[in-house]
Amino acid sequence: MRPLADRIRPQTLDEMVGQRHLLGEGKPLRRILASGVIPNLIFYGPSGVGKTTLASIIAKQTNRKLCKLNGTTASTADIREVVAGLDRLDAVNGVLLYLDEIQYFNKKQQQTLLEFIENGQITLIASTTENPYFYVYNAILSRSTVFEFKAVQPEEICPAVERAFHVMEEDLHSPLRLEDGVVKHIATACGGDVRKAMNAVELCALSSQEQGDVRLVTLEGARELTQRSAMKYDREGDEHYDILSAYQKSMRGSDPDAAIHYLARLLEAGDLPSACRRLLVCASEDVGLAYPQIIPIVKAAVDTALMVGLPEAQFPLADAVLLVCNAPKSNSGHNAILAAREDVRAGKAGPIPRQLQNKHFDGADNPVKGQFYKYPHDYPNHWVVQQYLPENLQGTHYYKYGENKTEQAYRAYWERIKNSGNL
């Protein structure tokens, strides 16, 4: 018997779950499909949100032969075989090639594909879970329209879960009694993946307990079968970088609840190194001189976490994340080094002033002998007026004091010293 998710796959646009931003009345993709003129399309989004289903519906709606290939296993020979079947009777209205996981096609394979979509022999619908602008050959992108699919919200998945349980009742020839919360839990725990929700329904029904004339599906059983189902994490994919981005931005934004949430997602995926690295970066980049002591503190927490490993590593990391969230913020160091490097890259370097050079003698051709370096510790307050920047950068300011009390204290101190007149 085919899997439940396949057997109850929607057959029309109105039966599809989610993607209302694309398929709702008056929305762009729906209008394109209604026109009957189907361009080459790229569907980008997470697994289990309707990309394959929609391709099947389009083929049926336009009365075209649907050929499916998967980028992980297909070859250029498979593409040529699809094209070779264009003259068959079942392809009289054209062929719609659905290429799943196109990101696994290398450049040469994608160029072979280009040959056939360019002359109109086939219409391509490619799907990918990765950003197509990074993984799809530019020539194919320029000939296709990209639509982004999104994770389906739990409230949209609930009706599909209920319908799936009804189908399972027919399969089992027995009514199912669902404990309160089962439908909502499955719809939530699948992480926006409708296919996962359907698989969970099937497992829950098959493992249900017989109670007289009915079978009981318990909330506890549903929780056991959907444990970790909502986790979406690929260390090489977009989800990895999205979580890391959200993690650091939440710390920068001083939101402890969000930062702890994303730390938990990283740790559940076992990605301890990424959690530590971004934490160290945030301590320097986003807190910085507003609370400079935070850098050794966070480093100590990271060292502890790496030494003890998971699960105990979660505790020093949680403390450090919350400390970064609650600490005052300053990006003055971040801005200063970026500005300085921009000047260096632009060629604004210039000769190092004579008094700063590592020279202790002069050649015969130098009419003015001596390095003329002033040792600051020989002067009051350990400071003296002296040229440090190259001549062509005199007056340039890369560092601007932050508004936090620590840097403002530095500013007040040095204003007092530098206005004292040490020459």
Side-chain angles (χ1 to χ4, degrees):
M1 184 181 292
R2 290 182 300 155
L4 176 65
D6 191 41
R7 287 187 285 130
I8 66 171
R9 190 183 294 275
Q11 301 300 309
T12 66
L13 293 179
D14 292 330
E15 291 178 3
M16 283 195 63
V17 175
Q19 313 314 324
R20 293 298 95 191
H21 65 293
L22 299 177
L23 300 174
E25 290 297 334
K27 296 301 181 180
L29 184 51
R30 190 173 190 120
R31 292 201 306 271
I32 290 173
L33 302 183
S35 73
V37 180
I38 310 301
N40 298 307
L41 302 170
I42 296 177
F43 294 161
Y44 160 48
S47 300
V49 296
K51 300 189 295 296
T52 303
T53 296
L54 182 56
S56 299
I57 292 173
I58 293 173
K60 182 179 179 182
Q61 186 172 299
T62 58
N63 199 26
R64 301 186 188 193
K65 180 183 178 181
L66 177 65
C67 296
K68 296 182 181 180
L69 295 177
N70 190 291
T72 59
T73 57
S75 65
T76 52
D78 294 314
I79 298 174
R80 295 184 188 280
E81 185 178 335
V82 169
V83 176
L86 285 170
D87 295 331
R88 293 206 300 254
L89 189 60
D90 59 350
V92 65
N93 293 317
V95 168
L96 190 154
L97 172 61
Y98 178 67
L99 178 56
D100 196 13
E101 305 289 3
I102 189 176
Q103 72 271 18
Y104 291 109
F105 257 31
N106 60 35
K107 186 175 181 179
K108 183 177 179 180
Q109 289 173 308
Q110 292 192 37
Q111 286 175 325
T112 302
L113 188 63
L114 180 65
E115 174 187 340
F116 301 113
I117 66 172
E118 196 163 35
N119 61 23
Q121 289 182 282
I122 60 174
T123 299
L124 173 70
I125 297 182
S127 73
T128 175
T129 55
E130 306 295 348
N131 190 328
Y133 297 101
F134 295 154
Y135 291 93
V136 178
Y137 185 44
N138 283 337
I140 290 181
L141 274 176
S142 67
R143 292 163 175 78
S144 307
T145 305
V146 178
F147 288 99
E148 182 176 0
F149 285 55
K150 298 180 180 179
V152 184
Q153 295 302 307
E155 58 270 20
E156 295 180 289
I157 297 177
C158 281
V161 171
E162 292 172 346
R163 186 169 68 252
F165 272 120
H166 289 314
V167 173
M168 289 306 299
E169 285 181 321
E170 296 174 3
D171 290 348
L172 296 171
H173 306 290
S174 175
L176 294 169
R177 184 167 68 84
L178 312 180
E179 282 189 351
D180 289 344
V182 166
V183 171
K184 184 177 181 181
H185 174 77
I186 292 175
T188 303
C190 68
D193 186 327
V194 182
R195 187 187 303 114
K196 278 187 178 180
M198 299 301 98
N199 292 340
V201 168
E202 189 167 22
L203 291 173
C204 285
L206 293 174
S207 62
S208 58
Q209 305 166 11
E210 291 189 13
Q211 288 192 346
D213 296 333
V214 301
R215 300 175 70 99
L216 176 65
V217 178
T218 66
L219 181 56
E220 181 182 358
R223 285 174 175 159
E224 290 176 355
L225 291 169
T226 58
Q227 190 175 18
R228 296 174 64 88
S229 180
M231 277 296 298
K232 288 188 176 183
Y233 197 77
D234 176 358
R235 292 197 188 193
E236 302 300 326
D238 290 347
E239 190 72 15
H240 166 75
Y241 295 104
D242 286 346
I243 291 176
L244 290 179
S245 177
Y247 174 52
Q248 185 166 352
K249 287 172 181 174
S250 297
M251 286 189 282
R252 178 184 298 142
S254 303
D255 189 323
D257 298 307
I260 282 289
H261 169 78
Y262 294 116
L263 173 63
R265 288 171 71 161
L266 289 168
L267 297 183
E268 279 297 302
D271 195 354
L272 185 58
S274 293
C276 291
R277 180 180 176 277
R278 287 298 179 110
L279 179 56
L280 287 166
V281 169
C282 205
S284 298
E285 181 181 339
D286 299 306
V287 177
L289 294 174
Y291 178 32
Q293 298 94 327
I294 200 171
I295 296 173
I297 294 172
V298 169
K299 177 62 164 60
V302 166
D303 288 346
T304 302
L306 294 174
M307 181 175 291
V308 302
L310 289 168
E312 290 82 0
Q314 64 187 307
F315 303 121
L317 290 184
D319 290 340
V321 165
L322 294 174
L323 178 62
V324 169
C325 285
N326 287 295
K329 303 297 188 295
S330 173
N331 68 338
S332 58
H334 164 275
N335 292 342
I337 187 60
L338 292 186
R341 293 190 71 182
E342 185 177 346
D343 271 0
V344 171
R345 292 187 186 113
K348 298 179 183 178
I352 294 173
R354 176 72 181 88
Q355 65 270 22
L356 301 185
Q357 294 175 10
N358 188 31
K359 287 185 180 179
H360 303 288
F361 66 92
D362 294 290
D365 59 338
N366 189 348
V368 182
K369 308 295 184 183
Q371 187 174 10
F372 309 109
Y373 173 61
K374 297 177 182 179
Y375 188 56
H377 297 297
D378 289 341
Y379 296 84
N381 300 309
H382 305 269
W383 181 82
V384 64
V385 174
Q386 189 166 214
Q387 178 182 340
Y388 290 98
L389 275 170
E391 193 67 39
N392 62 325
L393 289 173
Q394 284 297 296
T396 301
H397 294 286
Y398 297 116
Y399 172 62
K400 297 179 181 178
Y401 290 100
E403 296 299 323
N404 58 85
K405 66 177 184 180
T406 302
E407 288 182 88
Q408 286 301 304
Y410 294 156
R411 182 189 61 78
Y413 173 80
W414 284 110
E415 282 184 353
R416 176 172 57 83
I417 296 301
K418 292 179 180 181
N419 290 330
S420 64
N422 287 352
L423 304 175

